Amino acid sequence: MSALQGAGYRSGGARRQVVEFLGRQDCALTALEIDQGLPGVGRASVYRALEQLEQLHLVQSLDVGRDAKGYERIDPGGEHHHHIVCSRCGKVVPFEDSRLERAIDAVASESGFDVRGHEVTLRGRCGPCSKLRS
Amino acid sequence: MSALQGAGYRSGGARRQVVEFLGRQDCALTALEIDQGLPGVGRASVYRALEQLEQLHLVQSLDVGRDAKGYERIDPGGEHHHHIVCSRCGKVVPFEDSRLERAIDAVASESGFDVRGHEVTLRGRCGPCSKLRS
DNA sequence: ATGACTGCAAAGCCTTTGCACGCAA
DNA sequence: TTGCGTGCAAAGGCTTTGCAGTCAT
């Protein structure tokens, strides 16, 4: 919010609601899920807010294999997590790993890019699904 | 191809063309780009082929931030790469890093999932774009 | 008062599905 | 001959855009 104001944005209701709603979630949600979770907010406003928030690096989008993109808030504290997705049942499990982060930081610093974020997704079958044949 | 036949698929023309076309590419392409690169192949066949090939782990899909998902062939040799995407101009640069792979393997083995693949994407600004203001 | 923000609705675009024909086995 | 594979076209679903009204500054 303060970051929003600092970036020259007015404290409009819709965008603030999106940020706060995402802040309450444990893991990524799709734009449509966010829209459904905010009955008073128009769908277009949700998409517009997500676009702006992503540019401000307050929100990160990621592909969890579902039909739509997922969005989640970036923790200002710097801690963040990644995801393991079950390709059969769609379950998404977050994880974090400092060794992985260090490896990514090393790559980023050698890349010639001004890297602002990253995303890691593992895909496979969760415990229960790996015991099934189909 | 042999892997296709082994999986019980017939050597239909469209699917084989998709595999071979992807094998010729250096980096990920969207389904539409693949369709455009294969004039004789119907769009639906491209999507259907990609879906099957992804299940067979011959092709991997990934989100490079563009409007559509990207697809690229999985190198049978085991070598694979990840991507850095410029969030301003959309440029995609592949990279590989063994330390990163090891960190991911460690996470995978502790996850309780039967992990079959993974995807890493770094986002930021490429050299030229990082020198621009907007 | 000004212009950013919002909601609604329509349009856009990628992707999926239905259906009949063709070809591999 | 069987039915998997394919192409075309239409439908589906997520996302974006246009527009006028509203609200923060």
Side-chain angles (χ1 to χ4, degrees):
Chain A
M1 237 166 328
S2 53
L4 279 175
Q5 293 173 5
Y9 288 106
R10 297 180 182 176
S11 61
R15 187 164 46 219
R16 190 184 63 247
Q17 285 186 62
V18 170
V19 183
E20 296 178 349
F21 183 70
L22 279 179
R24 278 182 241 123
Q25 310 305 319
D26 291 330
C27 203
L29 264 62
T30 67
L32 249 37
E33 289 169 339
I34 297 168
D35 179 55
Q36 291 168 12
L38 296 172
V41 177
R43 186 168 300 173
S45 297
V46 170
Y47 280 102
R48 279 188 284 239
L50 289 172
E51 181 186 346
Q52 297 169 338
L53 294 169
E54 196 173 1
Q55 287 181 8
L56 293 172
H57 299 282
L58 294 173
V59 161
Q60 185 180 55
S61 76
L62 50 98
D63 174 17
V64 290
R66 283 188 282 188
D67 44 348
K69 237 191 301 192
Y71 293 88
E72 65 185 12
R73 188 165 184 207
I74 296 176
D75 187 331
E79 285 304 313
H80 65 225
H81 61 265
H82 299 294
H83 302 86
I84 308 182
V85 183
C86 177
S87 52
R88 185 180 169 278
C89 71
K91 181 162 66 176
V92 178
V93 176
F95 72 88
E96 48 188 296
D97 185 84
S98 59
R99 180 145 68 112
L100 178 58
E101 298 301 323
R102 285 196 297 274
I104 288 174
D105 289 344
V107 171
S109 65
E110 299 165 4
S111 66
F113 275 57
D114 178 21
V115 174
R116 291 288 197 84
H118 63 262
E119 170 190 344
V120 178
T121 308
L122 307 192
R123 302 181 191 285
R125 288 204 171 193
C126 66
C129 286
S130 66
K131 294 177 180 60
L132 302 175
R133 344 209 144 153
S134 60
Chain B
M1 240 161 330
S2 53
L4 280 175
Q5 293 173 4
Y9 288 106
R10 296 180 184 176
S11 62
R15 187 165 45 219
R16 191 184 63 248
Q17 285 185 62
V18 170
V19 183
E20 296 178 350
F21 183 70
L22 279 179
R24 279 182 240 124
Q25 309 305 318
D26 291 329
C27 203
L29 265 61
T30 67
L32 250 37
E33 288 170 339
I34 296 168
D35 178 54
Q36 291 167 12
L38 296 172
V41 177
R43 185 167 302 173
S45 297
V46 171
Y47 281 102
R48 278 188 284 239
L50 289 173
E51 181 185 347
Q52 297 169 336
L53 294 169
E54 195 174 0
Q55 288 181 9
L56 292 173
H57 298 282
L58 295 173
V59 160
Q60 185 181 49
S61 75
L62 50 97
D63 175 17
V64 291
R66 282 189 282 188
D67 44 347
K69 237 190 299 192
Y71 293 87
E72 65 185 12
R73 189 165 181 204
I74 296 175
D75 187 331
E79 285 303 314
H80 65 228
H81 61 267
H82 300 295
H83 303 86
I84 309 182
V85 182
C86 178
S87 51
R88 186 180 167 279
C89 71
K91 182 160 68 178
V92 177
V93 176
F95 73 87
E96 49 188 296
D97 185 84
S98 58
R99 180 144 68 112
L100 179 57
E101 298 300 324
R102 284 196 297 273
I104 288 174
D105 289 344
V107 170
S109 66
E110 300 165 3
S111 67
F113 275 57
D114 178 21
V115 174
R116 292 287 195 83
H118 62 262
E119 169 191 345
V120 179
T121 308
L122 276 55
R123 301 180 192 286
R125 287 203 172 194
C126 67
C129 286
S130 64
K131 294 177 179 61
L132 303 175
R133 341 206 147 156
S134 62

